[in-house]
Amino acid sequence: MLLHVPHAGVGVPGWARRHLLPDDEALAAEQAALTDHLTDRIALRASAVAAVAPWVVVNRVSRFVVDPERFPDEREEMAAVGMAAVYTHGTRGQRIRADDADHRAALLAAYYTTWADTVARLVDARLAATGRAVLIDLHSYPSAPLPYELHADGPRPPVCLGTDPAHTPPELTAAARRAFAQVGGAATDSPFGGTYVPARHHGTDRRVRSIMVELRRDGHMVEPAGPVTGGFAVAAAALAALVDAVTS
């Protein structure tokens, strides 16, 4: 079991910051809007109380440096709004980074490839030890749509479960629905779909199972980047219940 937390980080190394066009105030506003706040703390709390502690991998680098969850090329649908693996545009469609092929390549080498290789190695370790690997891809999303969203007209349930046809079996989705009933209920693939599977396993190794869990932020915090609420403990308990259901 692996809890995968790719979008909780806010770190922006100096060499990457120099290529970002927004001033500090504007960049902070973008990060407040798009960072998956508290998902790292929710994952660590769930790991601490689960019967069998899962591994937790947390990305501490902001997605405005590199988004490790997205394809770096034309396969990524968010490339249509300038938000593939290396963003050139922000949440309102504004330009945030100039086109610079060399800088983009350096970012991908430093952060995208490194992250992908790390997660793939962890998955391989679980396969070697147990013969299977289950990855819970943990995110959060705002209660109101942001302008960049491509599927903003769909339902925005308390929990959105993202699935993959090759790697999310029905029993994993059913276990997630049961676990997150205490949060207010879950729907599937709306407003966001899919789930993370390392590239070298995707579509080829059915022993790797994955489901994305998108927690709507108003359930566990004051939006857009305020303090936790009582829902924080409920969300962590629900995630721990899913871990227990999968590992039992």
Side-chain angles (χ1 to χ4, degrees):
M1 171 65 68
L2 179 67
L3 300 185
H4 176 256
V5 187
H7 292 156
V10 294
V12 180
W15 69 277
R17 178 68 182 94
R18 289 191 291 274
H19 289 261
L20 288 167
L21 302 177
D23 62 22
D24 290 347
E25 182 179 1
L27 181 59
E30 286 291 285
Q31 289 190 308
L34 210 57
T35 301
D36 289 354
H37 305 285
L38 303 175
T39 50
D40 52 344
R41 290 172 56 186
I42 290 172
L44 291 169
R45 172 78 69 88
S47 179
V49 302
V52 177
W55 289 353
V56 181
V57 57
V58 177
N59 179 26
R60 297 298 182 189
V61 177
S62 172
R63 61 196 299 185
F64 286 96
V65 178
V66 165
D67 190 331
E69 186 99 348
R70 294 185 179 166
F71 291 117
D73 52 33
E74 66 279 354
R75 291 172 295 172
E76 177 55 60
E77 70 167 350
M78 297 306 296
V81 292
M83 299 178 76
V86 177
Y87 298 174
T88 57
H89 292 72
T91 58
R92 295 174 285 105
Q94 78 278 28
R95 171 69 74 163
I96 64 166
R97 182 185 273 117
D99 294 322
D100 184 329
D102 291 340
H103 181 60
R104 179 179 177 278
L107 289 172
L108 292 174
Y111 301 111
Y112 188 89
T113 301
T114 301
W115 180 264
D117 289 347
T118 297
V119 178
R121 286 196 301 270
L122 292 173
V123 168
D124 284 339
R126 291 297 81 206
L127 291 174
T130 69
R132 67 173 182 150
V134 181
L135 187 151
I136 298 177
D137 186 26
L138 185 63
H139 297 258
S140 70
Y141 76 102
S143 56
L146 293 171
Y148 82 94
E149 293 182 23
L150 297 180
H151 308 290
D153 56 344
R156 302 181 83 83
V159 180
C160 164
L161 302 175
T163 65
D164 181 281
H167 295 278
T168 313
E171 59 268 25
L172 179 55
T173 304
R177 285 183 178 275
R178 289 192 297 270
F180 286 101
Q182 60 185 295
V183 178
T188 304
D189 293 313
S190 178
F192 303 101
T195 185
Y196 187 82
V197 178
R200 70 171 177 243
H201 303 94
H202 188 255
T204 61
D205 194 336
R206 297 298 181 95
R207 297 176 301 165
V208 180
R209 299 181 174 188
S210 180
I211 189 166
M212 180 173 70
V213 174
E214 289 261 9
L215 302 169
R216 203 177 67 204
R217 291 178 193 147
D218 61 341
H220 61 272
M221 63 177 289
V222 177
E223 296 183 276
V228 300
T229 64
F232 175 89
V234 178
L239 182 59
L242 176 56
V243 171
D244 289 344
V246 172
T247 56
S248 63

